[in-house]
Amino acid sequence: NLACCSAVAVRHEGGRGAPMKELMPWYHSADDIASTLRALATQCKNADIDVSTRTQINVGSAAGAEVNLDVVRVSRSGGAPKLKALLVYGEHAREVISPESALNFVQTLCGQGPEAERASAVLDNVSFTIVPNANPLSRQKVEDGYYCQRTNEDGVDLNRNFGDAHRTSGEELGDERNPGPSGFSEPESKILKGVIDEERPDIYVSVHSGAYLLGTPFGFKRGNSPPTESSMMEVLGPISDKYCKGQCPYGNLAELINYDNPGCDIDYVAETGTPYVFTWEIYVGSGYRDRYIEEAQMRRNGGAGTPAEDGLSLVQLKSSAAKRQRRARALKAKRAGAALRGREPEAKQNVQDCLDQFNPQSEEETKDVLQRFTSAYLELAERVVKKQAAKNAETKLDSAAAKVDSSSLM
């Protein structure tokens, strides 16, 4: 029974495995996702849903190819002005769990599943725009068995193609992080830019897999952060604890992945003024997960002494510190090894390794990831709403105080 057992890629020619529907039949195809979302237009409870399609014609190496991205809007009319959230899924085609998560989230917003009541309450304060499949042509290749396909039809990494401000110059053909000939050269990134610029969201989440972390800007350089960094960290901590059991580290994206990530979408969005901007890596296979768990533990301890060290002698404290340093060095080596493996060209990557790293390979584990992160998206919205309400209340108090001071001077 494939639905309960680990998927094993049957190798074919050219690094190709068995088709997705044969290997992992519980996943929806891109066509299934699109048709299910459109069917929700008449089935969405207590909310308005609109599904539209944006089209660009490729003018790169795949010139003439038509790229169509669905854009889904779920909202509730009436009431007070609402915060706007934009979530983008599937920028990297091999991350099949990402569009699957988009579908589950939209279904929940439309009144289906165990979190339907919670989602209904969230819609009183937040409207959602969702791009469920941001790399549709390469997603088709993945469904045909090319499970290592990350880039788009031009061989460009869409998450290195967001503008020229920080993007690596020059194409790197064959490299899975190829930034393309120029910023926004690709039809997919052009469409996404249009949606971002139109929406000007308060919350932006780029959803990925292949790692296990909750990242914040900036990706282009370690140590750089936007002015809202502390607010983002405050909402991420409880989400990591609740939905990752504290095992997914959170913080600056470049630091968490141990390499600079120039030209990524979250940097572009943060620099347009969106206050809450994230990359969420919602799944990594068990064979790759330890380094993220160790990272989370190290960050929780802050590199300083732990409560268990209280009362230890100087010699014992030195021994404990030496152990932490050894763990830190070992973790650094793991990070470096993971970054090096990520530079291997797509065509040379092992199909089974890609399956193991990027997607749950049983129906049970897939459902667990979908349920946890649908709840996490809702909690993110709830926490930002509370923080925004507190900020608005503080602004009103400051304004009232200023009026009092002004009147006392008259």
Side-chain angles (χ1 to χ4, degrees):
N1 184 346
L2 283 172
C4 69
C5 306
S6 294
V8 178
V10 179
R11 295 298 298 274
H12 296 302
E13 75 286 348
R16 183 183 180 191
M20 188 182 79
K21 275 300 181 184
E22 177 183 328
L23 194 65
M24 301 181 290
W26 60 90
Y27 281 104
H28 293 82
S29 69
D31 288 344
D32 290 340
I33 290 172
S35 61
T36 302
L37 290 171
R38 280 171 170 74
L40 284 171
T42 59
Q43 303 167 12
C44 201
K45 299 177 183 177
N46 302 318
D48 302 316
I49 182 171
D50 174 74
V51 182
S52 60
T53 301
R54 306 237 177 155
T55 301
Q56 282 274 345
I57 303 300
N58 190 300
V59 295
S61 61
E66 184 176 277
V67 175
N68 298 302
L69 265 59
D70 285 341
V71 179
V72 182
R73 289 184 170 85
V74 184
S75 61
R76 178 173 295 149
S77 56
K82 297 173 176 59
L83 296 180
K84 294 189 290 184
L86 172 58
L87 293 88
V88 174
Y89 299 80
E91 280 181 302
H92 295 145
R94 65 191 176 192
E95 300 164 12
V96 178
I97 187 65
S98 176
E100 197 75 18
S101 182
L103 175 60
N104 188 267
F105 185 46
V106 175
Q107 289 172 323
T108 300
L109 291 174
C110 283
Q112 300 179 18
E115 289 279 53
E117 187 174 342
R118 184 182 188 184
S120 180
V122 168
L123 283 166
D124 287 334
N125 300 293
V126 184
S127 61
F128 293 89
T129 299
I130 293 159
V131 180
N133 181 17
N135 193 355
L137 298 185
S138 286
R139 168 59 188 252
Q140 185 58 59
K141 290 189 68 175
V142 172
E143 292 179 15
D144 289 342
Y146 294 97
Y147 295 106
C148 297
Q149 181 73 34
R150 169 185 168 106
T151 57
N152 77 338
E153 67 278 5
D154 289 329
V156 173
D157 182 349
L158 298 176
N159 206 25
R160 300 293 185 277
N161 192 242
F162 272 75
D164 287 312
H166 310 293
R167 192 184 65 89
T168 303
S169 60
E171 284 196 90
E172 300 171 24
L173 299 176
D175 192 317
E176 67 166 25
R177 297 178 197 159
N178 173 24
S182 62
F184 298 116
S185 61
E186 304 310 298
E188 298 87 353
S189 57
K190 287 176 183 175
I191 294 172
L192 292 174
K193 180 183 184 300
V195 175
I196 292 163
D197 292 349
E198 288 172 22
E199 291 298 317
R200 297 286 179 178
D202 303 288
I203 305 167
Y204 181 87
V205 187
S206 182
V207 180
H208 294 265
S209 66
Y212 202 45
L213 58 88
L214 309 175
T216 61
F218 289 105
F220 72 88
K221 188 175 182 180
R222 281 163 274 197
N224 286 35
S225 59
T228 55
E229 171 78 4
S230 60
S231 294
M232 288 189 276
M233 295 293 280
E234 287 169 9
V235 301
L236 288 180
I239 291 172
S240 173
D241 288 341
K242 190 170 182 179
Y243 301 104
C244 308
K245 299 180 180 178
Q247 295 180 346
C248 56
Y250 57 96
N252 177 268
L253 178 63
E255 293 177 3
L256 290 176
I257 61 178
N258 198 47
Y259 57 84
D260 294 341
N261 184 18
C264 64
D265 58 349
I266 63 168
D267 290 0
Y268 175 78
V269 177
E271 290 179 336
T272 64
T274 294
Y276 293 91
V277 185
F278 309 99
T279 290
W280 282 16
E281 296 269 1
I282 65 173
Y283 177 83
V284 70
S286 58
Y288 302 82
R289 198 172 300 160
D290 284 352
R291 89 101 159 149
Y292 299 100
I293 296 173
E294 291 171 17
E295 178 83 46
Q297 291 171 342
M298 271 188 55
R299 285 173 172 261
R300 191 176 296 111
N301 292 337
T306 66
E309 292 174 334
D310 292 344
L312 295 183
S313 70
L314 180 59
V315 172
Q316 289 170 319
L317 285 170
K318 286 183 176 179
S319 175
S320 181
K323 288 179 181 178
R324 285 200 307 276
Q325 289 173 354
R326 287 195 295 271
R327 286 197 297 268
R329 286 194 295 269
L331 180 56
K332 186 175 181 180
K334 286 183 180 180
R335 289 171 175 169
L340 184 63
R341 286 193 298 273
R343 299 299 295 186
E344 193 174 32
E346 289 171 324
K348 294 184 179 180
Q349 293 173 12
N350 181 275
V351 170
Q352 190 62 53
D353 288 348
C354 291
L355 281 168
D356 291 342
Q357 181 173 356
F358 293 100
N359 299 296
Q361 292 172 62
S362 73
E363 185 172 11
E364 181 180 8
E365 188 178 22
T366 302
K367 287 180 178 178
D368 173 68
V369 173
L370 299 180
Q371 290 169 2
R372 282 190 292 113
F373 278 92
T374 282
S375 298
Y377 305 141
L378 294 173
E379 179 135 342
L380 173 63
E382 291 166 346
R383 289 187 174 276
V384 172
V385 166
K386 287 181 181 178
K387 289 188 75 66
Q388 193 62 41
K391 181 181 178 181
N392 291 342
E394 184 178 346
T395 300
K396 287 181 180 179
L397 285 174
D398 290 344
S399 178
K403 287 181 180 179
V404 170
D405 290 343
S406 177
S407 62
S408 67
L409 294 173
M410 293 180 182

